[in-house]
């Protein structure tokens, strides 16, 4: 709380308003801490991104875009808050080690997934992570199916919004498979890598 208060103290007098976008409250106590710190600053609004990683980044970029259009801090807060539920974030996991360490998966389930060569698709929605599908096979080969499942036949996608491809040290083959599948299945105007 003290670190947030220190940050707000440093900047609140120089700006009409501050929007603080935190990692989802379902994953961290950052939102609650920032809210407590913001109580002493009338021009600070704290928003729960309901996301993590690139999902949170997507909310930040949309907040920057909306800041140019909104007339008041409260209008901006309302529009950004409404946007948080529109962000779809998901990922494939090839090794469940970190899910086990974080208590999100049992060691027995991880062992079974490894033996069966399962690659779970985890979706971030409503401040929670949940497995929505399990792919079977080599990690590299699962990506085309994953992207197809997430994008094909979707008439509810706003193609003017950016799509993010986020990776953590995957092989060039994996990365190429994802890029190729994205290009084949959905014509987003902007794709950030």
């Amino acid at each position: 709380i003290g670190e947030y208060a220190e940050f707000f103290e440093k900047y609140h007098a120089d700006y009409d308003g501050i929007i603080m976008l935190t990692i989802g409250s379902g994953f961290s106590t950052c939102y609650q801490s920032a809210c407590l710190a913001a109580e002493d600053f009338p021009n600070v609004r704290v928003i729960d991104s309901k996301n993590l990683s690139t999902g949170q980044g997507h909310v930040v970029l949309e907040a920057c875009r909306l800041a140019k259009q909104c007339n008041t801090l409260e209008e901006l807060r309302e529009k950004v808050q409404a946007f948080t539920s529109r962000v779809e974030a998901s990922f494939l996991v090839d090794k469940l080690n970190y899910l086990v360490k974080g208590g999100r998966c049992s060691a027995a389930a991880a062992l079974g997934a490894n033996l069966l060569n399962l690659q779970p698709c985890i979706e971030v929605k409503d401040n929670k992570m949940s497995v929505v599908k399990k792919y079977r096979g080599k990690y590299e080969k699962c990506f085309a199916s994953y992207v197809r499942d997430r994008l094909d036949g979707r008439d509810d996608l706003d193609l003017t919004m950016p799509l993010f491809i986020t990776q953590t040290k995957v092989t060039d083959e994996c990365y190429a498979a994802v890029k190729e599948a994205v290009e084949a299945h959905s014509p987003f105007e902007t794709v950030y890598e």
Side-chain angles (χ1 to χ4, degrees), residues 110-124:
L111 177 63
N114 289 337
L115 290 173
L116 295 171
N117 207 15
L118 295 177
Q119 321 299 331
C121 172
I122 297 178
E123 183 176 70
V124 177

Side-chain angles (χ1 to χ4, degrees), residues 31-53:
Y31 174 70
Q32 291 85 352
S33 296
C35 285
L36 289 170
E39 289 175 356
D40 295 331
F41 302 94
N43 66 336
V44 174
R45 302 294 183 276
V46 180
I47 299 173
D48 181 351
S49 74
K50 299 181 183 172
N51 266 284
L52 38 89
S53 186

Side-chain angles (χ1 to χ4, degrees), residues 127-145:
N127 251 330
K128 295 179 186 136
M129 285 194 292
S130 57
V131 176
V132 292
K133 187 168 183 171
K134 295 173 187 156
Y135 294 89
R136 189 161 187 196
K138 292 184 74 174
Y139 192 51
E140 298 82 16
K141 303 254 186 226
C142 292
F143 280 114
S145 297

Side-chain angles (χ1 to χ4, degrees), residues 5-186:
E6 197 175 295
F7 178 83
F8 298 150
E9 182 64 43
K10 184 175 179 180
Y11 292 104
H12 83 99
D14 297 333
Y15 297 95
D16 294 334
I18 295 172
I19 294 285
M20 168 63 73
L21 286 156
T22 67
I23 190 170
S25 62
F27 313 107
S28 168
T29 60
C30 291
Y31 174 70
Q32 291 85 352
S33 296
C35 285
L36 289 170
E39 289 175 356
D40 295 331
F41 302 94
N43 66 336
V44 174
R45 302 294 183 276
V46 180
I47 299 173
D48 181 351
S49 74
K50 299 181 183 172
N51 266 284
L52 38 89
S53 186
T54 309
Q56 181 182 1
H58 195 156
V59 177
V60 169
L61 288 178
E62 181 64 5
C64 292
R65 188 187 72 78
L66 288 169
K68 296 172 185 168
Q69 301 172 358
C70 294
N71 295 317
T72 67
L73 185 61
E74 196 53 34
E75 178 188 9
L76 176 58
R77 187 204 60 77
E78 287 174 10
K79 287 186 176 188
V80 173
Q81 190 67 58
F83 179 76
T84 61
S85 61
R86 293 181 50 212
V87 175
E88 289 186 22
S90 63
F91 52 95
L92 282 185
V93 179
D94 69 332
K95 294 182 181 115
L96 304 181
N97 305 1
Y98 292 108
L99 295 177
V100 172
K101 288 178 184 180
R104 299 187 186 277
C105 175
S106 72
L111 177 63
N114 289 337
L115 290 173
L116 295 171
N117 207 15
L118 295 177
Q119 321 299 331
C121 172
I122 297 178
E123 183 176 70
V124 177
K125 190 171 183 123
D126 298 324
N127 251 330
K128 295 179 186 136
M129 285 194 292
S130 57
V131 176
V132 292
K133 187 168 183 171
K134 295 173 187 156
Y135 294 89
R136 189 161 187 196
K138 292 184 74 174
Y139 192 51
E140 298 82 16
K141 303 254 186 226
C142 292
F143 280 114
S145 297
Y146 161 71
V147 172
R148 184 185 63 241
D149 289 347
R150 299 303 294 181
L151 299 179
D152 254 6
R154 298 277 308 270
D155 57 2
D156 62 327
L157 294 176
D158 181 351
L159 300 177
T160 64
M161 298 304 286
L163 175 103
F164 292 82
I165 299 173
T166 307
Q167 55 128 342
T168 56
K169 294 186 181 181
V170 296
T171 65
D172 291 343
E173 185 180 282
C174 284
Y175 192 64
V178 170
K179 282 182 66 172
E180 185 179 309
V182 165
E183 290 168 5
H185 292 289
S186 200

